[in-house]
């Protein structure tokens, strides 16, 4: 076994100490408003859609990996207090056009305020991206849900999923509700540490975090059924395309000033199809580590 193997995967469930969140250094930044306008325009005519229903029956083997009510070290009162705003947020995202009930119930389940500094927790259930330090942001709930919905498609099983750009760990937690195994890579060490601290009380057994350059993927774990990028490059790194299983899907924001979501499907050993979807706004994908 290589040295890398012995350090990775890092099972979050094995880290059970008290959560001591170090204050994160914050620089004033303009937060990207990922696809808000677009979501609004997508939502036209959706006002009559039924409110969020919890997914009927298990979503597959990964369902119920996040069970904040019963298995975590979170104060129950904290979870109960956010139940209504969490539900309202999921219902809003449904009105904006996200239809997948399992994605919506995952969004409703994950306590987003835990991924933010306490000073910002009042805004945790608004549909906005917010600063998490190091010039990075937690993604807007709508775009998190939309991208995961695009990964799932109709009946596309999410067994092994790779996320590039863990940030504070929020999207990774949502993914862990709808996929069997989730691997997430972050290139900024203090954010990787922050994500670990944020996720620890949730005790998510099917999520592994890795510090490194996500542009290289995780060849030791590949192939993946789905890959999601939370940062925008000009093109999808070749290594990630190569690490997709046949039939796998990849969703990524592409572009510099003007960005669009791109969905790529691997249709053969050396064949991929790609479609350009809605406009969005993400922080940049950068090479190397920091
Ligand atoms: N997934 C996060 C969003 C984080 S913002 C959420 O739940 O809200 C995007 C993240 O991508 C940043 O933390 C940034 O540091 C990271 N990133 C950018 N380029 C990267 C790369 N090459 N490898 C890994 N992470 C990268």
């Amino acid at each position: 076994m290589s040295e890398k193997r012995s350090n990775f995967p890092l099972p979050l469930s094995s880290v059970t100490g008290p959560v001591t969140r170090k204050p994160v250094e914050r620089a004033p930044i303009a937060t990207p408003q990922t696809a808000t306008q677009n979501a609004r325009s997508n939502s036209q005519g959706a006002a009559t859609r039924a409110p969020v229903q919890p997914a009927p029956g298990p979503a597959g083997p990964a369902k119920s990996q996040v069970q904040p009510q019963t298995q975590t070290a979170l104060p129950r009162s904290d979870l109960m207090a956010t139940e209504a705003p969490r539900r309202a947020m999921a219902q809003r995202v449904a009105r904006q056009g996200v239809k997948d009930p399992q994605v919506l119930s995952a969004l409703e389940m994950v306590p987003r305020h835990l991924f933010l500094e306490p000073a910002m927790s009042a805004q945790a259930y608004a549909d906005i991206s917010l600063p998490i330090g190091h010039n990075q942001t937690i993604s807007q709930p709508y775009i998190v849900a939309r991208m995961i919905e695009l990964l799932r498609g109709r009946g596309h099983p999410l067994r092994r999923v790779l996320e590039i750009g863990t940030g504070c760990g929020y999207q990774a937690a949502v993914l862990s509700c709808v996929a069997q195994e989730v691997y997430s890579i972050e290139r900024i060490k203090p954010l990787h540490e922050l994500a670990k601290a944020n996720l620890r009380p949730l005790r998510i057994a099917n999520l592994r975090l890795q510090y490194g350059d996500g542009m290289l993927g995780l060849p030791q774990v590949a192939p993946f059924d789905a890959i999601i990028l939370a940062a925008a490059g000009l093109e999808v790194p070749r290594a990630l395309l190569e690490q997709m299983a046949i039939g796998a899907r990849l969703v990524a924001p592409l572009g510099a000033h003007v960005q669009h979501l791109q969905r790529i499907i691997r249709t053969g050993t050396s064949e991929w199809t790609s479609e350009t979807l809605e406009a969005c706004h993400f922080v940049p994908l950068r090479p190397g580590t920091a």
Side-chain angles (χ1 to χ4, degrees):
M1 270 296 141
S2 70
E3 212 176 84
K4 220 169 198 168
R5 268 287 185 195
S6 64
N7 294 335
F8 181 80
L10 163 73
L12 286 164
S13 51
S14 70
V15 195
T16 51
V19 183
T20 45
R21 287 180 61 159
K22 285 192 215 125
V24 179
E25 194 191 306
R26 306 226 175 258
I29 53 165
T31 59
Q33 296 304 306
T34 37
T36 307
Q37 301 295 338
N38 201 56
R40 286 208 183 103
S41 61
N42 278 357
S43 71
Q44 281 170 7
T48 53
R49 200 163 283 133
V52 182
Q53 300 291 334
K63 182 77 177 152
S64 81
Q65 296 277 4
V66 178
Q67 293 180 329
Q69 314 285 354
T70 54
Q71 288 188 351
T72 74
L74 295 177
R76 217 180 145 72
S77 57
D78 201 28
L79 285 171
M80 281 166 69
T82 60
E83 215 173 283
R86 281 188 277 126
R87 187 173 312 120
M89 182 180 82
Q91 287 173 347
R92 220 167 31 240
V93 168
R95 284 195 299 273
Q96 286 175 313
V98 173
K99 296 184 186 73
D100 189 324
Q102 288 174 3
V103 174
L104 292 168
S105 66
L107 205 66
E108 184 173 336
M109 205 181 320
V110 177
R112 191 171 184 249
H113 66 281
L114 292 184
F115 296 85
L116 293 164
E117 284 290 300
M120 264 177 297
S121 47
Q123 292 166 277
Y125 297 99
D127 195 25
I128 49 174
S129 55
L130 290 163
I132 54 171
H134 304 274
N135 289 342
Q136 307 302 323
T137 56
I138 183 172
S139 298
Q140 181 194 359
Y142 165 78
I143 204 77
V144 168
R146 177 75 181 126
M147 289 175 82
I148 299 175
E149 178 177 64
L150 287 168
L151 283 186
R152 274 171 51 81
R154 280 202 187 90
H156 180 68
L158 291 185
R159 283 181 297 259
R160 188 169 293 177
V161 178
L162 176 65
E163 178 192 37
I164 312 303
T166 317
C168 60
Y170 172 67
Q171 179 168 266
V174 178
L175 276 169
S176 75
C177 300
V178 297
Q180 260 176 46
E181 290 171 38
V182 179
Y183 298 83
S184 181
I185 312 177
E186 173 56 54
R187 67 179 288 275
I188 300 177
K189 185 81 176 198
L191 286 180
H192 167 71
E193 297 298 335
L194 175 72
K196 273 201 282 185
N198 287 342
L199 288 160
R200 195 177 287 125
L202 291 169
R203 295 184 189 160
I204 303 173
N206 61 333
L207 172 58
R208 307 283 184 271
L209 301 184
Q210 171 81 329
Y211 167 61
D213 179 0
M215 290 172 79
L216 308 175
L218 268 186
Q220 67 271 43
V221 182
F224 296 96
D225 299 305
I227 301 182
I228 186 165
L229 283 84
L234 294 179
E235 55 184 23
V236 175
R238 185 81 208 169
L240 298 182
L241 295 175
E242 298 292 355
Q243 289 173 32
M244 295 169 74
I246 310 284
R249 293 167 176 221
L250 178 150
V251 176
L254 286 191
H257 297 300
V258 178
Q259 300 172 3
H260 285 90
L261 288 184
Q262 190 95 6
R263 177 165 63 177
I264 294 173
I265 301 179
R266 187 169 195 175
T267 51
T269 313
S270 37
E271 280 164 34
W272 291 261
T273 60
S274 131
E275 49 188 321
T276 301
L277 304 159
E278 65 208 64
C280 56
H281 188 188
F282 279 81
V283 294
L285 183 71
R286 295 196 192 285
T289 52

